[in-house]
Amino acid sequence: MTASESNAVTQTQEPGVEVAGAAMKGVIQKGIVTANRLLADKDGYYAPDRLAAKPVLTADDGSYDLRLRGKADGWALVTLEADGATRMICDVVPRCDQAGAEAVAFGQPMSLDSQFSLRGAGDLTTETVHLTPLTHLAVTLAERSANGLSPEALSGAYQTVEGWFGLSAGSLRLAPPDLTRLDNLGSVSADALQVSIANAAFLALVNDSAQWSTISEVLNNMTSQIAATGQIDIMGDGINVALADLVSAAALQSSELQATVESSVISQKLVVVEYRNVQRFKTIADVYADSDTAVADSEGSADSSEGTIDSGSDTTTGTTQDGTGEQVADNTDTTATDNSGDTVADNGTDTSEPPATDTVQEPAIPADAALLSWTAPLTRENGESLSMGEIAGFEVVYGTNPDSLDQSLAIGDASVDELLVDELTAGTWYFAIRTLDTDGNRSRLSEVVYKQI
């Protein structure tokens, strides 16, 4: 047998699957990553099996890449732990406080205590498992399931945690960007930014706090709450970390980060994230369902159709058309937000003020700007479904004459559902949107909404 034949036999006998991802809270360098396959016993209870891969260290950008033994099927639990060499980049503006040590400036490395740990889980067919505080909470929640860490329990837990923080479905599977290097990114979605900022809020709670000395203490408190009740305390009881505190800290970080970037596009998306967090804070009391293990997110998610519009205008529902003029869809909601953030058109969104003891400032939407939001169409006029994969993007058109919208902004990302249009001169501005599909078809414009500047 030749050497090449011997290698071929070895590869056939030891199949494996590459699993990659990133450890972000902010960037975690030289973190120790291990993985276990999740297997069910005879009663259908899923738990980690023996280690399925040799430990690897995260790179300077927080990424890791390991190879699991066995076939590329099933789910795996991935765990990160810290030792004396592990470092985390401070992702809190302007600094990260440390008990008994000097504060670390935004963007600089800091040490982690030996108790620090993050977990995440994923389907091995996707081969991407990110490790963040939010995925860590989701794994803890899934462990309460009668079937343990089953695929169904994990999928449901990920969705539940997304609901707690007002994140779009699937956001925890997005690659979280490095908040300290935003200007170096070619592009980033508002959803991915919102995930990273929510993760940064965990460390932000340590700043100027006599109660929490490390991020490990914050995480351990939250996982204890979830393990015991399946929930996180809503507004706080003076002892436990409150969900409202985290959302409030995320809103503040969104605002602070705007001063750190030069890119107007990224700054605009940070304004959108700030707005989302403020609205989430207002409706946070509606998060929990009656069950102690489930979360109802009927009003809390980042639903682009639940926007606010300028005083005096009505919420409009536009219809999109294909290139032949036939109607493609009739569920594209286009709304504009005024600077105060007050809801004018009542469409079911709870805008009641939070208790006076827990207040959040409204996002600093510039006086010369309009925040637009919309819902992507789901069907064509002939009844055929229109998937997100068939949508190439959107075009927002606007101007001071509703019959001549002579300015436009193109959005080449079907997942984007909000846009801040700024540097508007005094007067009344009118806005509409059309959908572009991957075949080159352009819809007819939605109905027009307006805002007085």
Side-chain angles (χ1 to χ4, degrees):
M1 180 181 293
T2 66
S4 60
E5 289 173 337
S6 176
N7 288 338
V9 171
T10 299
Q11 292 172 0
T12 301
Q13 291 176 341
E14 297 183 8
V17 55
E18 296 290 334
V19 177
M24 300 292 289
K25 202 345 293 130
V27 173
I28 298 176
Q29 303 170 336
K30 295 185 178 179
I32 305 166
V33 181
T34 56
N36 299 73
R37 286 182 178 272
L38 293 169
L39 301 179
D41 61 17
K42 60 182 180 61
D43 297 319
Y45 185 86
Y46 283 77
D49 192 27
R50 59 186 176 84
L51 288 178
K54 294 181 179 179
V56 298
L57 298 179
T58 56
D60 287 346
D61 62 357
S63 64
Y64 74 89
D65 190 345
L66 51 75
R67 184 173 183 82
L68 273 67
R69 295 184 293 272
K71 297 181 179 179
D73 59 9
W75 283 58
L77 175 70
V78 183
T79 302
L80 176 141
E81 295 179 329
D83 66 8
T86 306
R87 294 292 182 268
M88 179 176 66
I89 303 301
C90 171
D91 60 348
V92 174
V93 181
R95 68 186 187 282
C96 294
D97 288 345
Q98 300 183 104
E102 292 186 3
V104 176
F106 176 72
Q108 297 302 307
M110 58 187 295
S111 60
L112 286 167
D113 63 90
S114 60
Q115 296 183 8
F116 183 83
S117 177
L118 293 177
R119 297 187 294 173
D123 188 338
L124 292 178
T125 60
T126 66
E127 302 180 4
T128 301
V129 180
H130 299 301
L131 306 170
T132 70
L134 296 185
T135 66
H136 190 73
L137 300 186
V139 172
T140 301
L141 180 61
E143 286 176 324
R144 291 175 51 84
S145 166
N147 293 323
L149 295 175
S150 67
E152 295 78 14
L154 285 164
S155 296
Y158 266 60
Q159 293 174 12
T160 294
V161 172
E162 288 166 348
W164 285 347
F165 290 86
L167 297 165
S168 300
S171 291
L172 295 191
R173 301 296 183 187
L174 298 175
D178 180 357
L179 296 178
T180 69
R181 300 174 61 85
L182 291 178
D183 281 326
N184 295 338
L185 300 178
S187 63
V188 62
S189 68
D191 286 337
L193 271 177
Q194 190 177 356
V195 171
S196 281
I197 291 171
N199 287 315
F202 287 72
L203 187 55
L205 290 187
V206 178
N207 282 7
D208 302 318
S209 171
Q211 186 174 8
W212 313 111
S213 299
T214 66
I215 187 174
S216 294
E217 292 181 359
V218 174
L219 276 171
N220 290 342
N221 176 272
M222 298 188 73
T223 54
S224 295
Q225 291 184 56
I226 293 171
T229 67
Q231 299 179 349
I232 303 172
D233 194 275
I234 301 175
M235 301 305 293
D237 56 7
I239 299 175
N240 290 312
V241 175
L243 182 58
D245 291 339
L246 284 164
V247 175
S248 175
L252 178 59
Q253 283 300 301
S254 303
S255 176
E256 296 286 353
L257 280 166
Q258 292 166 40
T260 72
V261 299
E262 296 180 0
S263 168
S264 60
V265 173
I266 291 177
S267 179
Q268 173 179 285
K269 291 182 178 179
L270 288 169
V271 171
V272 170
V273 173
E274 183 185 0
Y275 177 80
R276 288 179 178 179
N277 279 304
V278 170
Q279 296 305 309
R280 184 59 178 159
F281 186 91
K282 288 184 175 182
T283 61
I284 208 166
D286 296 328
V287 173
Y288 292 99
D290 293 334
S291 169
D292 69 342
T293 60
V295 169
D297 194 35
S298 60
E299 293 188 77
S301 64
D303 185 351
S304 60
S305 66
E306 294 184 353
T308 57
I309 64 175
D310 189 76
S311 180
S313 64
D314 296 321
T315 301
T316 60
T317 301
T319 58
T320 58
Q321 312 287 324
D322 65 14
T324 64
E326 294 182 356
Q327 192 175 43
V328 176
D330 61 0
N331 59 351
T332 304
D333 292 340
T334 309
T335 62
T337 303
D338 66 14
N339 193 45
S340 68
D342 292 336
T343 297
V344 178
D346 182 7
N347 57 5
T349 303
D350 181 3
T351 58
S352 58
E353 293 296 329
T357 56
D358 293 279
T359 59
V360 173
Q361 295 296 319
E362 287 292 344
I365 299 175
D368 64 348
L371 180 62
L372 307 176
S373 62
W374 59 88
T375 301
L378 300 176
T379 58
R380 299 181 184 272
E381 170 65 14
N382 62 8
E384 294 180 357
S385 63
L386 180 66
S387 69
M388 291 295 288
E390 295 175 294
I391 298 176
F394 307 95
E395 181 185 21
V396 172
V397 295
Y398 60 102
T400 55
N401 184 340
D403 298 321
S404 179
L405 303 177
D406 55 0
Q407 300 186 52
S408 66
L409 291 169
I411 302 167
D413 185 346
S415 66
V416 173
D417 59 11
E418 290 180 305
L419 176 70
L420 186 78
V421 183
D422 59 3
E423 298 184 357
L424 301 174
T425 58
T428 303
W429 286 83
Y430 301 87
F431 306 87
I433 188 171
R434 62 163 52 95
T435 303
L436 314 175
D437 73 10
T438 53
D439 292 328
N441 294 319
R442 302 172 67 199
S443 72
R444 192 171 64 185
L445 287 174
S446 67
E447 294 184 23
V448 176
V449 295
Y450 66 90
K451 179 184 176 182
Q452 182 73 34
I453 300 297

